[in-house]
């Protein structure tokens, strides 16, 4: 089965440097006029603004010194031409403007926009601008800024965030790293981000998932400029409608032997629920057979909860090989702890050489060993586990999630799935996949156990495609959480709600639609 490396160009995610080079190629090699592109960007952003906020009060447009600021000046010009009240503030002095950004400022002045220099605005007038604004347009800092915003930008960003006024961010929220999704200082909390030319990775993972609001993409150009530029995507954006057709087809005469046998090794004393969550999730994700190897005291509860799972009570690791022999894929780690019982179980799983999904304490135990790469394993760390595996600290992981996932994959082989909003799947065989979207209701115990079961079941059904199994699993997990949230909300969501929603997600695959809020 293919590894599903492809995807449309509209799903491609680029670094900030790559997008700048694409922009340069379109202008220098294909003859596009940079100022015309800037005008197109401003018109596209203004259309999105009107569609989202048709009855908006006066606009407060905040402009920087680069092309991002130029977009802002032209958005202000569009708004004035359409009869809107606009207050436009040059956060960076207009004397610093050059090139197309300066042309944009001049165009805005000619169209009747009154531009005020920030340095000339007193505190009372500054208060008045915010008190009377119905919408803020953030056009301060673009892709060329990667560090923490300095004054006066940091102060203006703080004022925007404390105002409670909705914000449209132009290309990206000021203060966000467009490549990594990291934030090192103040960052604008946007409600809508309109991004241009190429999608930037940082808008879809890390802090980007929290500060961008809804993200819409405007290509601005037709044709093959992006492809002909030669720039390679850093990642591919994956959502349910784009991956559901990767699922294996079930023929009318299918039988359970064709869809794999998942063995879940999980649940030391006090953590029996983790193994049960993983096993039940595997059962709900299409595995032909599911077995659970756990502590004997958990057997009765497991059978009561999920009688379709074959449950075995194990006291010692020496009892595991017979179960491993029958398994297609092993899921090991949820709730196994780090005592001798968990160590024995992990040792047997690794020595078996079976395709495996390692999660939770299996990863913590793995971090204390010498890394031995294995092509048939899927590791599913959260940032804390990733930091232990990399012998670093969590902020280093979160500073560049894509780089951390790729480093882990190079160290351990196989596939690495780095959890978090904008989950990253790295296989070393293609650009990383990013599961588009987030759900704050998933910030509760047991969600990772469910994910490991889902991935284990998919891996058992598509044994030649571990990367695809991991990507589908991450996207399906999110999709099920979004479906469950329609009924439960976010704060009341628990792991079993996600399991219960999995069959509905599979049914959605038939219509190629999604429960999650997607892009336009």
């Amino acid at each position: 089965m293919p590894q599903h490396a492809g995807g449309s160009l509209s799903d491609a995610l680029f670094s900030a440097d790559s997008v700048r080079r694409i922009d340069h190629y379109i202008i220098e090699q294909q003859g596009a006029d940079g100022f015309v592109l800037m005008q197109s960007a401003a018109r596209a952003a203004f259309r999105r603004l009107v569609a989202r906020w048709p009855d908006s009060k006066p606009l407060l447009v905040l402009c920087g010194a680069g092309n991002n600021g130029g977009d802002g000046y032209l958005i202000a010009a569009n708004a004035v031409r359409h009869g809107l009240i606009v207050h436009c503030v040059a956060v960076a002095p207009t004397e610093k403007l050059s090139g197309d950004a300066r042309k944009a400022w001049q165009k805005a002045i000619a169209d009747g926009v009154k531009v005020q220099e920030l340095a000339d605005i007193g505190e009372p007038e500054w208060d008045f601008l915010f008190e009377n604004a119905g919408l803020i347009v953030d056009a301060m800092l673009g892709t060329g800024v990667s560090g923490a915003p300095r004054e006066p930008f940091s102060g203006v960003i703080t004022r925007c965030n404390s105002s409670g006024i909705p914000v449209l961010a132009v290309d990206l929220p000021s203060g966000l790293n467009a490549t990594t999704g990291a934030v090192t200082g103040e960052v604008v909390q946007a409600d809508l981000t309109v991004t241009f030319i190429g999608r930037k990775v940082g808008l879809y993972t890390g802090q980007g998932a929290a500060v961008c609001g809804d993200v819409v993409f405007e290509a601005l150009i037709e044709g093959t400029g992006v492809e002909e530029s030669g720039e390679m995507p850093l990642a591919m954006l994956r959502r349910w409608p784009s991956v559901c057709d990767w699922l294996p087809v079930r023929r009318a005469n299918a039988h359970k032997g064709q869809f794999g046998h998942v063995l879940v090794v999980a649940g030391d004393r006090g953590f029996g629920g983790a193994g049960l969550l993983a096993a039940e999730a595997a059962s709900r994700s299409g595995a032909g057979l599911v077995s659970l190897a756990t502590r004997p005291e958990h057997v009765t509860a497991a059978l009561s909860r999920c009688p379709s799972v074959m449950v075995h009570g194990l006291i010692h690791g020496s009892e595991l090989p017979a179960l491993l022999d029958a398994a297609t894929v092993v899921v090991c780690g949820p709730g196994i702890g780090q005592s001798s019982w968990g160590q024995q179980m992990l040792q047997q799983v690794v020595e078996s050489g079976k395709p495996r999904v390692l999660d939770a304490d299996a990863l913590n135990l793995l971090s204390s060993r010498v890394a031995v790469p294995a092509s048939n394993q899927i590791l599913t760390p959260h940032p804390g586990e990733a930091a232990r595996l990399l012998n670093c600290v969590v902020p280093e992981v979160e500073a560049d999630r894509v780089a951390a996932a790729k480093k882990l994959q190079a160290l351990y082989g196989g596939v690495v799935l780095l959890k978090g909003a904008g989950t990253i799947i790295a296989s070393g065989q293609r650009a990383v996949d990013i599961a588009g979207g987030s759900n704050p209701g998933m910030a509760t115990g047991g969600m990772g156990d469910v994910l490991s079961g889902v991935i284990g079941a998919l891996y058992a059904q598509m044994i030649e495609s571990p990367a695809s199994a991991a990507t589908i699993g991450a996207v399906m997990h999110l999709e099920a959480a979004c479906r469950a949230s329609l009924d439960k909300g976010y704060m009341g969501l628990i792991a079993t709600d996600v399991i219960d929603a999995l069959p509905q997600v599979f049914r959605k695959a038939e219509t190629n639609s999604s429960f999650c809020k997607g892009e336009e």
Side-chain angles (χ1 to χ4, degrees), residues 138-283:
D138 165 28
M140 291 183 283
L141 301 173
T143 61
V145 179
S146 58
R150 295 183 296 226
E151 291 291 355
F153 294 100
S154 61
V156 175
I157 292 171
T158 299
R159 186 64 184 266
C160 289
N161 291 341
S162 64
S163 70
I165 302 168
V167 177
L168 180 148
V170 179
D171 209 24
L172 76 163
S174 292
L176 178 70
N177 187 303
T179 299
T180 66
V183 169
T184 56
E186 297 296 327
V187 62
V188 167
Q189 300 278 337
D191 296 273
L192 175 67
T193 298
V194 185
T195 194
F196 312 112
I197 302 294
R199 301 180 194 269
K200 292 84 179 167
V201 176
L203 275 61
Y204 298 92
T205 192
Q207 292 299 312
V211 303
C212 288
D214 297 326
V215 179
V216 293
F217 172 59
E218 295 283 354
L220 302 184
I221 56 170
E222 296 181 0
T224 58
V226 175
E227 191 170 6
E228 289 182 0
S229 71
E231 292 298 319
M232 298 300 295
L234 185 59
M236 299 298 291
L237 182 66
R238 305 298 190 184
R239 297 183 187 273
W240 184 237
S242 67
V243 303
C244 62
D245 61 352
W246 297 3
L247 290 167
V249 175
R250 294 205 167 203
R251 300 184 182 277
N253 62 344
H255 58 82
K256 62 187 178 185
Q258 296 173 321
F259 302 107
H261 183 170
V262 177
L263 171 62
V264 177
V265 182
D268 199 356
R269 292 189 179 95
F271 301 101
L276 182 52
L277 288 169
E280 187 173 0
S283 291

Side-chain angles (χ1 to χ4, degrees), residues 26-51:
I26 292 168
I27 294 170
E28 298 297 326
Q29 301 299 319
Q30 295 194 326
D33 185 291
F35 186 62
V36 171
L37 278 177
M38 187 176 284
Q39 289 177 306
S40 297
R43 285 193 297 270
F46 183 69
R47 284 196 302 270
R48 297 290 187 174
L49 183 156
V50 172

